[in-house]
Amino acid sequence: MSTLVKLHVIRIGNLERNVIQLMWEGDKPPGTPVLIWDGICQTYGIEFSAYPKKDQTEELSKENKYKCALTRLVKARLIKPETIPTSTNKFPRLSPKGHGYNYYSLTALGRLVAEELQQPDPKQVLFLKELDNLKTALGWLRALGHVKVTAEQILDALWQLSKQSFVDKAEFNRYWNGTKLGRMLQNCGMVKRARVGMKDRRRKYFLV
């Protein structure tokens, strides 16, 4: 998945996604103020030692990035600072760490975005389905007693497994081309690659 996703015409980066996810987990019932900085620090490992804060550059960098993420989410109207009543006032309570406010809640729009982020990414779902088909095809070949197989043998097994999903073999060949097969084989972890011979540039795959 790309670093940025577009939801409801709002561009959400990975850090904002992390914050929205934490806000969603604490949004029970809807509108509940969330002590977000505690969640950020605990979940994403922002922990300062007893040494001067200014000397802990890595932690400072992570902290500042999430501070900016919170600011962007407020400007996008996905979250809002919450007023927490105290014995002396009803103003939004400032964070003692200097990160804006202690408590935020999801807005109605923020809740819609959070709900959408819970849905599985269609590209990831397709990738996992293809990877499962490839592993099944390799399993078939192994069950037939093959130790080394060519790309053509793998593709033929894939065709037998998934032909109902394609109009014809030509469409299958366009979809499962050599580049795609090679990339998927790198992800499946079930083969090791080798050349057929010194003069034969075709690849063979050892089933592991």
Side-chain angles (χ1 to χ4, degrees), residues 60-118:
L60 270 175
S61 176
K62 288 192 290 185
E63 186 182 64
N64 287 331
K65 286 177 180 178
Y66 274 103
K67 180 179 179 180
C68 292
L70 279 170
T71 300
R72 287 192 290 269
L73 288 171
V74 171
K75 288 182 177 179
R77 299 181 181 179
L78 299 185
I79 65 174
K80 62 181 180 180
E82 276 296 336
T83 299
I84 306 299
T86 69
S87 58
T88 57
N89 60 61
K90 291 187 178 181
F91 295 106
R93 186 181 297 173
L94 287 171
S95 166
K97 297 181 180 180
H99 302 303
Y101 299 97
N102 266 332
Y103 292 88
Y104 293 83
S105 65
L106 286 171
T107 63
L109 177 59
R111 196 167 296 109
L112 286 174
V113 171
E115 289 174 354
E116 193 163 341
L117 286 173
Q118 307 313 305

Short mmCIF file of all heavy atoms in Angstrom, two decimals, residues 60-118:
data_model
loop_
_atom_site.label_atom_id
_atom_site.label_comp_id
_atom_site.label_asym_id
_atom_site.label_seq_id
_atom_site.Cartn_x
_atom_site.Cartn_y
_atom_site.Cartn_z
N LEU A 60 12.96 12.41 20.13
CA LEU A 60 12.43 13.74 19.82
C LEU A 60 11.85 13.77 18.41
O LEU A 60 10.80 14.38 18.17
CB LEU A 60 13.53 14.80 19.95
CG LEU A 60 13.70 15.45 21.32
CD1 LEU A 60 14.90 16.39 21.29
CD2 LEU A 60 12.44 16.22 21.72
N SER A 61 12.56 13.13 17.47
CA SER A 61 12.09 13.13 16.09
C SER A 61 10.75 12.42 15.98
O SER A 61 9.82 12.92 15.34
CB SER A 61 13.14 12.43 15.20
OG SER A 61 12.67 12.32 13.87
N LYS A 62 10.61 11.24 16.61
CA LYS A 62 9.34 10.52 16.56
C LYS A 62 8.23 11.33 17.22
O LYS A 62 7.11 11.40 16.71
CB LYS A 62 9.49 9.16 17.26
CG LYS A 62 10.31 8.15 16.48
CD LYS A 62 10.17 6.75 17.05
CE LYS A 62 10.83 6.61 18.39
NZ LYS A 62 10.78 5.20 18.90
N GLU A 63 8.56 11.94 18.34
CA GLU A 63 7.57 12.73 19.07
C GLU A 63 7.07 13.90 18.22
O GLU A 63 5.85 14.14 18.13
CB GLU A 63 8.20 13.25 20.36
CG GLU A 63 7.25 13.96 21.29
CD GLU A 63 7.98 14.49 22.52
OE1 GLU A 63 8.86 15.36 22.36
OE2 GLU A 63 7.69 14.01 23.60
N ASN A 64 8.00 14.60 17.59
CA ASN A 64 7.62 15.76 16.77
C ASN A 64 6.80 15.35 15.55
O ASN A 64 5.89 16.06 15.13
CB ASN A 64 8.87 16.53 16.34
CG ASN A 64 9.49 17.30 17.48
OD1 ASN A 64 8.80 17.71 18.41
ND2 ASN A 64 10.81 17.49 17.43
N LYS A 65 7.11 14.19 14.98
CA LYS A 65 6.35 13.72 13.82
C LYS A 65 4.90 13.44 14.20
O LYS A 65 3.98 13.77 13.46
CB LYS A 65 7.00 12.46 13.23
CG LYS A 65 8.30 12.75 12.47
CD LYS A 65 8.94 11.47 11.97
CE LYS A 65 10.22 11.78 11.21
NZ LYS A 65 10.91 10.53 10.76
N TYR A 66 4.71 12.83 15.36
CA TYR A 66 3.33 12.56 15.80
C TYR A 66 2.62 13.83 16.23
O TYR A 66 1.40 13.96 16.07
CB TYR A 66 3.31 11.52 16.92
CG TYR A 66 3.30 10.12 16.37
CD1 TYR A 66 4.46 9.34 16.37
CD2 TYR A 66 2.15 9.57 15.83
CE1 TYR A 66 4.45 8.06 15.84
CE2 TYR A 66 2.13 8.30 15.30
CZ TYR A 66 3.28 7.53 15.31
OH TYR A 66 3.27 6.27 14.77
N LYS A 67 3.38 14.78 16.75
CA LYS A 67 2.78 16.08 17.08
C LYS A 67 2.24 16.73 15.82
O LYS A 67 1.12 17.27 15.80
CB LYS A 67 3.82 16.98 17.75
CG LYS A 67 3.31 18.36 18.14
CD LYS A 67 4.40 19.16 18.82
CE LYS A 67 3.89 20.55 19.20
NZ LYS A 67 4.94 21.36 19.86
N CYS A 68 3.03 16.68 14.74
CA CYS A 68 2.59 17.24 13.46
C CYS A 68 1.40 16.47 12.90
O CYS A 68 0.48 17.06 12.31
CB CYS A 68 3.74 17.23 12.46
SG CYS A 68 5.09 18.36 12.85
N ALA A 69 1.40 15.14 13.10
CA ALA A 69 0.28 14.32 12.63
C ALA A 69 -1.01 14.74 13.32
O ALA A 69 -2.06 14.85 12.68
CB ALA A 69 0.57 12.84 12.86
N LEU A 70 -0.96 14.98 14.62
CA LEU A 70 -2.14 15.42 15.36
C LEU A 70 -2.63 16.76 14.83
O LEU A 70 -3.82 16.97 14.65
CB LEU A 70 -1.81 15.54 16.84
CG LEU A 70 -1.83 14.24 17.66
CD1 LEU A 70 -1.25 14.50 19.05
CD2 LEU A 70 -3.24 13.69 17.77
N THR A 71 -1.69 17.67 14.57
CA THR A 71 -2.06 18.99 14.06
C THR A 71 -2.75 18.88 12.71
O THR A 71 -3.77 19.53 12.45
CB THR A 71 -0.81 19.88 13.92
OG1 THR A 71 -0.20 20.03 15.22
CG2 THR A 71 -1.16 21.26 13.38
N ARG A 72 -2.23 18.00 11.83
CA ARG A 72 -2.83 17.83 10.51
C ARG A 72 -4.24 17.25 10.62
O ARG A 72 -5.14 17.63 9.88
CB ARG A 72 -1.95 16.94 9.64
CG ARG A 72 -0.67 17.62 9.16
CD ARG A 72 0.02 16.81 8.07
NE ARG A 72 0.59 15.59 8.59
CZ ARG A 72 1.84 15.48 9.04
NH1 ARG A 72 2.63 16.54 9.05
NH2 ARG A 72 2.30 14.33 9.49
N LEU A 73 -4.42 16.31 11.55
CA LEU A 73 -5.74 15.70 11.72
C LEU A 73 -6.76 16.70 12.25
O LEU A 73 -7.93 16.66 11.88
CB LEU A 73 -5.64 14.50 12.65
CG LEU A 73 -4.95 13.27 12.07
CD1 LEU A 73 -4.71 12.22 13.15
CD2 LEU A 73 -5.76 12.67 10.92
N VAL A 74 -6.32 17.59 13.12
CA VAL A 74 -7.23 18.64 13.63
C VAL A 74 -7.60 19.59 12.50
O VAL A 74 -8.78 19.95 12.32
CB VAL A 74 -6.57 19.41 14.80
CG1 VAL A 74 -7.42 20.64 15.16
CG2 VAL A 74 -6.42 18.51 16.02
N LYS A 75 -6.61 19.99 11.70
CA LYS A 75 -6.88 20.90 10.58
C LYS A 75 -7.81 20.25 9.55
O LYS A 75 -8.61 20.93 8.91
CB LYS A 75 -5.57 21.31 9.91
CG LYS A 75 -4.74 22.29 10.75
CD LYS A 75 -3.48 22.70 10.02
CE LYS A 75 -2.69 23.73 10.82
NZ LYS A 75 -1.44 24.13 10.14
N ALA A 76 -7.70 18.93 9.40
CA ALA A 76 -8.56 18.21 8.46
C ALA A 76 -9.94 17.92 9.05
O ALA A 76 -10.79 17.33 8.40
CB ALA A 76 -7.90 16.90 8.04
N ARG A 77 -10.14 18.30 10.32
CA ARG A 77 -11.40 18.12 11.03
C ARG A 77 -11.77 16.65 11.22
O ARG A 77 -12.95 16.29 11.19
CB ARG A 77 -12.54 18.88 10.31
CG ARG A 77 -12.28 20.39 10.25
CD ARG A 77 -13.41 21.10 9.56
NE ARG A 77 -13.14 22.54 9.49
CZ ARG A 77 -13.96 23.44 8.92
NH1 ARG A 77 -15.10 23.03 8.37
NH2 ARG A 77 -13.64 24.71 8.89
N LEU A 78 -10.75 15.84 11.41
CA LEU A 78 -10.98 14.42 11.69
C LEU A 78 -10.97 14.15 13.19
O LEU A 78 -11.60 13.19 13.65
CB LEU A 78 -9.93 13.56 11.00
CG LEU A 78 -9.87 13.66 9.47
CD1 LEU A 78 -8.86 12.68 8.92
CD2 LEU A 78 -11.23 13.42 8.86
N ILE A 79 -10.24 14.95 13.94
CA ILE A 79 -10.26 14.86 15.39
C ILE A 79 -10.38 16.28 15.95
O ILE A 79 -10.14 17.26 15.24
CB ILE A 79 -9.00 14.18 15.97
CG1 ILE A 79 -7.75 15.03 15.68
CG2 ILE A 79 -8.84 12.78 15.42
CD1 ILE A 79 -6.49 14.49 16.35
N LYS A 80 -10.77 16.37 17.20
CA LYS A 80 -10.89 17.69 17.83
C LYS A 80 -10.46 17.60 19.29
O LYS A 80 -10.62 16.55 19.93
CB LYS A 80 -12.31 18.21 17.74
CG LYS A 80 -13.33 17.34 18.46
CD LYS A 80 -14.74 17.88 18.33
CE LYS A 80 -15.75 16.99 19.06
NZ LYS A 80 -17.14 17.50 18.94
N PRO A 81 -9.88 18.69 19.84
CA PRO A 81 -9.53 18.70 21.26
C PRO A 81 -10.80 18.62 22.10
O PRO A 81 -11.83 19.16 21.72
CB PRO A 81 -8.83 20.04 21.46
CG PRO A 81 -8.59 20.59 20.10
CD PRO A 81 -9.55 19.94 19.17
N GLU A 82 -10.71 17.93 23.22
CA GLU A 82 -11.87 17.76 24.08
C GLU A 82 -11.74 18.58 25.36
O GLU A 82 -10.66 18.72 25.92
CB GLU A 82 -12.03 16.29 24.46
CG GLU A 82 -12.78 15.48 23.44
CD GLU A 82 -14.23 15.92 23.27
OE1 GLU A 82 -14.80 16.51 24.20
OE2 GLU A 82 -14.78 15.67 22.17
N THR A 83 -12.85 19.15 25.76
CA THR A 83 -12.93 19.86 27.04
C THR A 83 -13.14 18.85 28.15
O THR A 83 -14.12 18.10 28.14
CB THR A 83 -14.09 20.87 27.03
OG1 THR A 83 -13.86 21.82 26.00
CG2 THR A 83 -14.19 21.57 28.38
N ILE A 84 -12.21 18.80 29.07
CA ILE A 84 -12.32 17.90 30.21
C ILE A 84 -12.60 18.73 31.45
O ILE A 84 -11.76 19.51 31.89
CB ILE A 84 -11.02 17.09 30.39
CG1 ILE A 84 -10.67 16.36 29.10
CG2 ILE A 84 -11.17 16.11 31.55
CD1 ILE A 84 -11.71 15.37 28.64
N PRO A 85 -13.79 18.63 32.04
CA PRO A 85 -14.12 19.43 33.23
C PRO A 85 -13.15 19.14 34.38
O PRO A 85 -12.76 18.01 34.62
CB PRO A 85 -15.54 18.97 33.58
CG PRO A 85 -16.07 18.37 32.34
CD PRO A 85 -14.90 17.75 31.64
N THR A 86 -12.72 20.20 35.02
CA THR A 86 -11.90 20.07 36.21
C THR A 86 -12.55 20.86 37.32
O THR A 86 -13.59 21.49 37.12
CB THR A 86 -10.48 20.61 35.96
OG1 THR A 86 -10.54 22.04 35.80
CG2 THR A 86 -9.86 20.00 34.71
N SER A 87 -11.93 20.86 38.47
CA SER A 87 -12.50 21.59 39.60
C SER A 87 -12.40 23.09 39.43
O SER A 87 -13.08 23.85 40.10
CB SER A 87 -11.79 21.17 40.89
OG SER A 87 -10.40 21.44 40.78
N THR A 88 -11.53 23.55 38.49
CA THR A 88 -11.31 24.99 38.35
C THR A 88 -11.80 25.57 37.04
O THR A 88 -12.10 26.74 36.97
CB THR A 88 -9.80 25.31 38.49
OG1 THR A 88 -9.08 24.55 37.50
CG2 THR A 88 -9.31 24.93 39.88
N ASN A 89 -11.88 24.76 35.98
CA ASN A 89 -12.30 25.32 34.69
C ASN A 89 -12.84 24.22 33.78
O ASN A 89 -12.79 23.05 34.13
CB ASN A 89 -11.15 26.04 33.99
CG ASN A 89 -9.98 25.12 33.71
OD1 ASN A 89 -10.13 24.14 33.00
ND2 ASN A 89 -8.82 25.43 34.29
N LYS A 90 -13.34 24.62 32.61
CA LYS A 90 -13.83 23.67 31.63
C LYS A 90 -13.16 23.88 30.28
O LYS A 90 -13.73 23.63 29.24
CB LYS A 90 -15.35 23.79 31.49
CG LYS A 90 -16.11 23.32 32.73
CD LYS A 90 -17.60 23.32 32.47
CE LYS A 90 -18.36 22.80 33.69
NZ LYS A 90 -19.83 22.76 33.46
N PHE A 91 -11.94 24.40 30.31
CA PHE A 91 -11.20 24.63 29.08
C PHE A 91 -10.49 23.34 28.67
O PHE A 91 -10.20 22.48 29.51
CB PHE A 91 -10.18 25.75 29.27
CG PHE A 91 -10.82 27.07 29.54
CD1 PHE A 91 -10.80 27.62 30.82
CD2 PHE A 91 -11.46 27.77 28.53
CE1 PHE A 91 -11.40 28.84 31.07
CE2 PHE A 91 -12.06 28.99 28.77
CZ PHE A 91 -12.03 29.53 30.06
N PRO A 92 -10.20 23.19 27.35
CA PRO A 92 -9.41 22.03 26.94
C PRO A 92 -8.10 21.99 27.72
O PRO A 92 -7.39 22.98 27.79
CB PRO A 92 -9.16 22.29 25.44
CG PRO A 92 -10.27 23.19 25.03
CD PRO A 92 -10.54 24.06 26.23
N ARG A 93 -7.82 20.86 28.31
CA ARG A 93 -6.65 20.76 29.17
C ARG A 93 -5.39 20.60 28.32
O ARG A 93 -5.27 19.67 27.53
CB ARG A 93 -6.80 19.56 30.10
CG ARG A 93 -5.69 19.45 31.14
CD ARG A 93 -5.91 18.23 32.02
NE ARG A 93 -7.15 18.34 32.78
CZ ARG A 93 -7.64 17.35 33.51
NH1 ARG A 93 -7.02 16.20 33.56
NH2 ARG A 93 -8.77 17.52 34.18
N LEU A 94 -4.45 21.49 28.48
CA LEU A 94 -3.21 21.41 27.73
C LEU A 94 -2.36 20.25 28.21
O LEU A 94 -2.34 19.94 29.40
CB LEU A 94 -2.41 22.72 27.86
CG LEU A 94 -2.96 23.92 27.09
CD1 LEU A 94 -2.21 25.19 27.50
CD2 LEU A 94 -2.82 23.70 25.61
N SER A 95 -1.66 19.63 27.27
CA SER A 95 -0.78 18.54 27.64
C SER A 95 0.43 19.10 28.37
O SER A 95 1.05 20.05 27.90
CB SER A 95 -0.32 17.78 26.39
OG SER A 95 0.76 16.94 26.72
N PRO A 96 0.82 18.52 29.47
CA PRO A 96 2.02 18.99 30.17
C PRO A 96 3.29 18.74 29.38
O PRO A 96 4.32 19.32 29.65
CB PRO A 96 2.01 18.18 31.47
CG PRO A 96 1.20 16.96 31.15
CD PRO A 96 0.15 17.42 30.18
N LYS A 97 3.20 17.87 28.37
CA LYS A 97 4.37 17.60 27.53
C LYS A 97 4.51 18.59 26.38
O LYS A 97 5.44 18.50 25.59
CB LYS A 97 4.29 16.16 26.98
CG LYS A 97 4.33 15.09 28.06
CD LYS A 97 4.27 13.71 27.42
CE LYS A 97 4.30 12.63 28.50
NZ LYS A 97 4.24 11.26 27.91
N GLY A 98 3.56 19.48 26.25
CA GLY A 98 3.65 20.47 25.18
C GLY A 98 3.24 19.95 23.84
O GLY A 98 3.74 20.38 22.81
N HIS A 99 2.29 19.02 23.79
CA HIS A 99 1.85 18.45 22.52
C HIS A 99 0.41 18.83 22.20
O HIS A 99 -0.36 18.00 21.77
CB HIS A 99 1.99 16.93 22.55
CG HIS A 99 3.37 16.46 22.82
ND1 HIS A 99 4.45 16.83 22.04
CD2 HIS A 99 3.87 15.68 23.80
CE1 HIS A 99 5.55 16.27 22.52
NE2 HIS A 99 5.23 15.58 23.59
N GLY A 100 0.03 20.04 22.46
CA GLY A 100 -1.34 20.41 22.20
C GLY A 100 -2.19 20.06 23.40
O GLY A 100 -1.96 20.54 24.51
N TYR A 101 -3.16 19.16 23.20
CA TYR A 101 -4.06 18.79 24.28
C TYR A 101 -3.87 17.34 24.69
O TYR A 101 -3.37 16.52 23.94
CB TYR A 101 -5.52 19.02 23.85
CG TYR A 101 -5.79 20.47 23.51
CD1 TYR A 101 -5.75 20.91 22.19
CD2 TYR A 101 -6.05 21.39 24.51
CE1 TYR A 101 -5.98 22.24 21.88
CE2 TYR A 101 -6.28 22.72 24.22
CZ TYR A 101 -6.24 23.14 22.90
OH TYR A 101 -6.45 24.46 22.61
N ASN A 102 -4.31 17.04 25.90
CA ASN A 102 -4.24 15.66 26.39
C ASN A 102 -5.27 14.78 25.70
O ASN A 102 -4.99 13.64 25.33
CB ASN A 102 -4.51 15.62 27.90
CG ASN A 102 -3.22 15.67 28.70
OD1 ASN A 102 -2.19 15.23 28.24
ND2 ASN A 102 -3.30 16.20 29.91
N TYR A 103 -6.48 15.29 25.55
CA TYR A 103 -7.60 14.49 25.06
C TYR A 103 -8.10 14.99 23.71
O TYR A 103 -8.23 16.20 23.50
CB TYR A 103 -8.75 14.53 26.06
CG TYR A 103 -8.46 13.82 27.36
CD1 TYR A 103 -7.84 14.49 28.42
CD2 TYR A 103 -8.81 12.48 27.54
CE1 TYR A 103 -7.58 13.83 29.63
CE2 TYR A 103 -8.56 11.83 28.74
CZ TYR A 103 -7.93 12.51 29.77
OH TYR A 103 -7.68 11.87 30.95
N TYR A 104 -8.38 14.04 22.84
CA TYR A 104 -9.00 14.33 21.55
C TYR A 104 -10.14 13.33 21.35
O TYR A 104 -10.15 12.25 21.94
CB TYR A 104 -8.02 14.20 20.39
CG TYR A 104 -6.92 15.23 20.39
CD1 TYR A 104 -5.78 15.07 21.17
CD2 TYR A 104 -7.02 16.38 19.60
CE1 TYR A 104 -4.76 16.01 21.16
CE2 TYR A 104 -6.00 17.32 19.58
CZ TYR A 104 -4.88 17.15 20.37
OH TYR A 104 -3.88 18.08 20.36
N SER A 105 -11.07 13.68 20.47
CA SER A 105 -12.11 12.72 20.09
C SER A 105 -12.27 12.77 18.58
O SER A 105 -11.91 13.75 17.92
CB SER A 105 -13.44 13.05 20.77
OG SER A 105 -13.93 14.31 20.33
N LEU A 106 -12.81 11.68 18.03
CA LEU A 106 -13.08 11.64 16.60
C LEU A 106 -14.29 12.51 16.28
O LEU A 106 -15.28 12.51 17.00
CB LEU A 106 -13.38 10.21 16.15
CG LEU A 106 -12.21 9.23 16.07
CD1 LEU A 106 -12.73 7.82 15.82
CD2 LEU A 106 -11.24 9.64 14.97
N THR A 107 -14.20 13.25 15.18
CA THR A 107 -15.37 13.96 14.68
C THR A 107 -16.22 12.97 13.88
O THR A 107 -15.82 11.81 13.65
CB THR A 107 -14.96 15.12 13.77
OG1 THR A 107 -14.28 14.58 12.63
CG2 THR A 107 -14.03 16.09 14.50
N ALA A 108 -17.39 13.40 13.42
CA ALA A 108 -18.23 12.52 12.60
C ALA A 108 -17.49 12.11 11.33
O ALA A 108 -17.52 10.94 10.92
CB ALA A 108 -19.54 13.23 12.25
N LEU A 109 -16.79 13.07 10.71
CA LEU A 109 -16.01 12.74 9.51
C LEU A 109 -14.85 11.82 9.87
O LEU A 109 -14.55 10.87 9.15
CB LEU A 109 -15.48 14.02 8.87
CG LEU A 109 -14.58 13.84 7.64
CD1 LEU A 109 -15.32 13.08 6.55
CD2 LEU A 109 -14.09 15.19 7.13
N GLY A 110 -14.21 12.09 11.00
CA GLY A 110 -13.10 11.24 11.44
C GLY A 110 -13.54 9.81 11.67
O GLY A 110 -12.82 8.86 11.35
N ARG A 111 -14.78 9.64 12.17
CA ARG A 111 -15.29 8.30 12.40
C ARG A 111 -15.53 7.57 11.07
O ARG A 111 -15.29 6.38 10.95
CB ARG A 111 -16.57 8.37 13.23
CG ARG A 111 -16.98 7.03 13.85
CD ARG A 111 -18.06 7.22 14.91
NE ARG A 111 -17.55 8.00 16.02
CZ ARG A 111 -17.93 9.26 16.29
NH1 ARG A 111 -18.84 9.86 15.55
NH2 ARG A 111 -17.42 9.92 17.31
N LEU A 112 -16.02 8.31 10.07
CA LEU A 112 -16.22 7.70 8.75
C LEU A 112 -14.89 7.24 8.16
O LEU A 112 -14.79 6.15 7.60
CB LEU A 112 -16.88 8.71 7.81
CG LEU A 112 -18.36 9.00 8.02
CD1 LEU A 112 -18.82 10.13 7.09
CD2 LEU A 112 -19.20 7.75 7.77
N VAL A 113 -13.88 8.08 8.30
CA VAL A 113 -12.55 7.72 7.79
C VAL A 113 -12.00 6.53 8.56
O VAL A 113 -11.44 5.59 7.98
CB VAL A 113 -11.59 8.93 7.89
CG1 VAL A 113 -10.16 8.51 7.57
CG2 VAL A 113 -12.03 10.03 6.93
N ALA A 114 -12.17 6.54 9.89
CA ALA A 114 -11.69 5.43 10.71
C ALA A 114 -12.37 4.12 10.31
O ALA A 114 -11.73 3.07 10.22
CB ALA A 114 -11.94 5.72 12.18
N GLU A 115 -13.68 4.17 10.05
CA GLU A 115 -14.41 2.97 9.63
C GLU A 115 -13.89 2.47 8.28
O GLU A 115 -13.76 1.27 8.06
CB GLU A 115 -15.90 3.28 9.53
CG GLU A 115 -16.57 3.49 10.89
CD GLU A 115 -18.01 3.93 10.77
OE1 GLU A 115 -18.46 4.20 9.63
OE2 GLU A 115 -18.69 4.03 11.81
N GLU A 116 -13.60 3.41 7.39
CA GLU A 116 -13.10 3.01 6.08
C GLU A 116 -11.72 2.37 6.18
O GLU A 116 -11.40 1.44 5.44
CB GLU A 116 -13.05 4.24 5.15
CG GLU A 116 -12.85 3.88 3.70
CD GLU A 116 -13.19 5.03 2.76
OE1 GLU A 116 -13.91 5.96 3.19
OE2 GLU A 116 -12.75 4.99 1.62
N LEU A 117 -10.91 2.86 7.12
CA LEU A 117 -9.58 2.29 7.30
C LEU A 117 -9.63 0.87 7.85
O LEU A 117 -8.65 0.13 7.75
CB LEU A 117 -8.75 3.18 8.25
CG LEU A 117 -8.26 4.50 7.66
CD1 LEU A 117 -7.62 5.36 8.75
CD2 LEU A 117 -7.27 4.27 6.53
N GLN A 118 -10.75 0.48 8.44
CA GLN A 118 -10.88 -0.89 8.96
C GLN A 118 -11.12 -1.89 7.84
O GLN A 118 -10.94 -3.09 8.04
CB GLN A 118 -12.04 -0.98 9.97
CG GLN A 118 -12.00 0.02 11.11
CD GLN A 118 -10.65 0.14 11.77
OE1 GLN A 118 -10.09 -0.86 12.23
NE2 GLN A 118 -10.12 1.35 11.83
#
